[in-house]
Amino acid sequence: MIRITFIGAGSLGFTRGLVRDILTFPILQDSTLVLMDINKERLEFARKSVQSLIDKGKYPAKVEATMDRKEALKGANAVICTILQGGTDVWRYDIEIPKKYGINTNIGDTRGPSGIFRAVRTIPVMLSICRDMERYCPDAILLNYTNPMAMLCHAMQRKTRIRVTGLCHSVQGTATMLANWINTSMDRITYVCAGINHLAWFIEFKKNGKDAYPLIRKAIMKKKEIYMEEIVRNELFLHLGYYVTESSGHNSEYNWWFRKRPDLIKKYCTHGTGWNPGKYAFILNEYLKTEKTWKNEIQKWFKQGAPMSLERGHEFAAYIINAFCGGEPYIFNGNVPNTGIITNLPYGACVEVPVLANK
């Protein structure tokens, strides 16, 4: 029986969505789903959520919950990591302290002072997880969703024997957004995307086999509502000719010209209509709000009968696990060592490129 372990299962949104996706694959429907978290209350809510999905779909899967990481990893075929090391009480200082010295941060989970300190805090924990995997499930794959993605994966890929890749939804999310902008469906779109996590570029984006960039440029330049949806990313595209993954807020950090003065922040990072235009401490503030409401929200969800579609979502993890366990091979964008794949980035750096998953 296939055993899939979730480290950081108290990330309730991620856990519910990933379990739903996993259970849509026939060869995974009788899996044992092992949930592990250091927060007992969140872990119990996660267990109840997963059991609700199993019951709703009438799947033969089983769910286990434990606060013992080593116990959770024993015999695992695949491990999914969604931890936030230190929690928001610690993470907030990554954002607030640099602000005192003039560094206005939107997300702070990738690079800059905020990303570096987050990496320093998280790398030892990730390596510890890998050491436990080397002992208790050495043949398992590790799918990481924790940021800063490139730094964490680089450390794990250099220092452990575990097969690990990092996953992000910014590639498929951006591709879908661009398809919508040119009024087409994803089944007509093909693309090649490569770079660094949160800063990967669509070096090809085609509709029905033809270059779709002229259509995208026309949509951005002619329709104000499209330009306003992603101001920073659209400016980058209009100047560079290629579209980049992740939000305008993220990219305003990676291209600091957009954040170097208050007037530029106001012009480019406050008026966008997308999910993250670039306001200061955006995600931190969202997390702080959620900490006050998450318990009531999950209890309300249960009282309503735990409504949730059983249709598969767009995250890569379930497809990869299905392929790894003998299902259909799957191509996804993952974070792997650069072995000459991208020639103008350092050899050995962690890059986000198309990857083939199979048994």
Side-chain angles (χ1 to χ4, degrees):
M1 182 178 291
I2 296 168
R3 190 173 175 88
I4 303 169
T5 297
F6 293 76
I7 304 296
S11 300
L12 297 172
F14 254 128
T15 300
R16 282 184 293 183
L18 293 175
V19 167
R20 174 203 60 204
D21 294 351
I22 287 168
L23 295 177
T24 63
F25 289 96
I27 66 171
L28 304 180
Q29 288 178 352
D30 64 349
S31 298
T32 297
L33 305 165
V34 185
L35 312 181
M36 182 271 159
D37 202 274
I38 61 173
N39 185 307
K40 186 176 182 180
E41 188 174 30
R42 279 185 170 271
L43 180 61
E44 177 57 17
F45 278 127
R47 186 199 65 78
K48 289 174 63 178
S49 297
V50 171
Q51 188 62 58
S52 176
L53 282 168
I54 292 172
D55 294 343
K56 187 174 182 179
K58 298 180 180 179
Y59 299 117
K62 297 179 181 179
V63 59
E64 299 176 4
T66 178
M67 296 178 70
D68 186 331
R69 190 174 76 200
K70 294 177 181 178
E71 190 65 31
L73 291 172
K74 288 180 180 177
N77 299 96
V79 178
I80 299 173
C81 183
T82 59
I83 69 169
L84 174 62
Q85 177 59 21
T88 52
D89 288 342
V90 175
W91 171 33
R92 66 184 305 159
Y93 294 113
D94 297 346
I95 309 295
E96 294 171 351
I97 292 175
K99 183 66 159 58
K100 295 180 181 179
Y101 299 91
I103 299 176
N104 184 301
T105 304
N106 168 242
I107 301 290
D109 68 352
T110 307
R111 51 152 289 173
S114 304
I116 290 170
F117 279 100
R118 186 166 176 160
V120 169
R121 184 170 63 249
T122 309
I123 285 173
V125 180
M126 302 302 288
L127 293 180
S128 178
I129 292 170
C130 289
R131 298 300 180 214
D132 284 347
M133 289 182 65
E134 288 173 342
R135 181 176 180 183
Y136 295 107
C137 54
D139 296 324
I141 54 170
L142 173 58
L143 305 179
N144 176 51
Y145 278 99
T146 298
N147 286 314
M149 183 65 69
M151 291 191 230
L152 300 186
C153 288
H154 185 60
M156 291 185 283
Q157 288 159 353
R158 290 185 65 189
K159 296 297 183 179
T160 78
R161 300 190 303 273
I162 295 300
R163 287 175 289 182
V164 55
T165 191
L167 304 177
C168 180
H169 38 253
S170 61
V171 174
Q172 63 270 46
T174 299
T176 301
M177 179 188 75
L178 295 176
N180 290 337
W181 284 0
I182 58 174
N183 298 312
T184 194
S185 57
M186 281 302 297
D187 59 359
R188 296 183 176 184
I189 296 294
T190 57
Y191 60 81
V192 177
C193 188
I196 301 170
N197 176 247
H198 288 178
L199 196 63
W201 301 84
F202 288 90
I203 54 180
E204 288 184 5
F205 197 88
K206 296 181 178 181
K207 175 186 176 182
N208 297 329
K210 296 182 179 180
D211 182 15
Y213 269 143
L215 298 175
I216 294 170
R217 180 177 290 272
K218 182 179 179 180
I220 292 170
M221 296 183 70
K222 297 291 185 181
K223 297 181 180 180
K224 184 177 180 180
E225 66 273 19
I226 289 179
Y227 174 81
M228 293 300 295
E229 188 173 339
E230 291 288 345
I231 296 175
V232 171
R233 286 204 284 176
N234 286 338
E235 285 290 336
L236 290 170
F237 171 71
L238 293 175
H239 284 81
L240 302 176
Y242 294 90
Y243 216 88
V244 67
T245 58
E246 257 314 338
S247 70
S248 283
H250 283 84
N251 276 279
S252 71
E253 290 185 13
Y254 315 148
N255 301 274
W256 276 95
W257 183 88
F258 293 101
R259 305 192 74 84
K260 71 177 183 178
R261 296 196 312 266
D263 62 306
L264 293 173
I265 293 173
K266 182 178 180 180
K267 180 177 180 179
Y268 292 105
C269 304
T270 60
H271 296 93
T273 59
W275 74 273
N276 176 25
K279 294 180 181 179
Y280 168 70
F282 171 69
I283 289 294
L284 173 61
N285 289 331
E286 290 296 309
Y287 271 57
L288 291 173
K289 291 177 187 175
T290 301
E291 284 199 343
K292 298 176 182 178
T293 62
W294 74 267
K295 195 181 302 184
N296 289 335
E297 290 297 322
I298 193 70
Q299 289 172 339
K300 180 180 177 181
W301 183 71
F302 280 121
K303 287 180 181 178
Q304 293 172 342
M308 188 171 184
S309 170
L310 297 181
E311 292 185 12
R312 189 180 303 160
H314 67 275
E315 295 289 352
F316 292 142
Y319 293 88
I320 297 168
I321 296 171
N322 178 66
F324 180 70
C325 293
E328 183 180 358
Y330 183 66
I331 296 175
F332 66 99
N333 275 72
N335 287 265
V336 297
N338 185 23
T339 54
I341 306 166
I342 301 179
T343 56
N344 60 347
L345 288 178
Y347 192 93
C350 182
V351 292
E352 190 169 86
V353 294
V355 178
L356 173 65
N358 60 19
K359 190 173 183 179

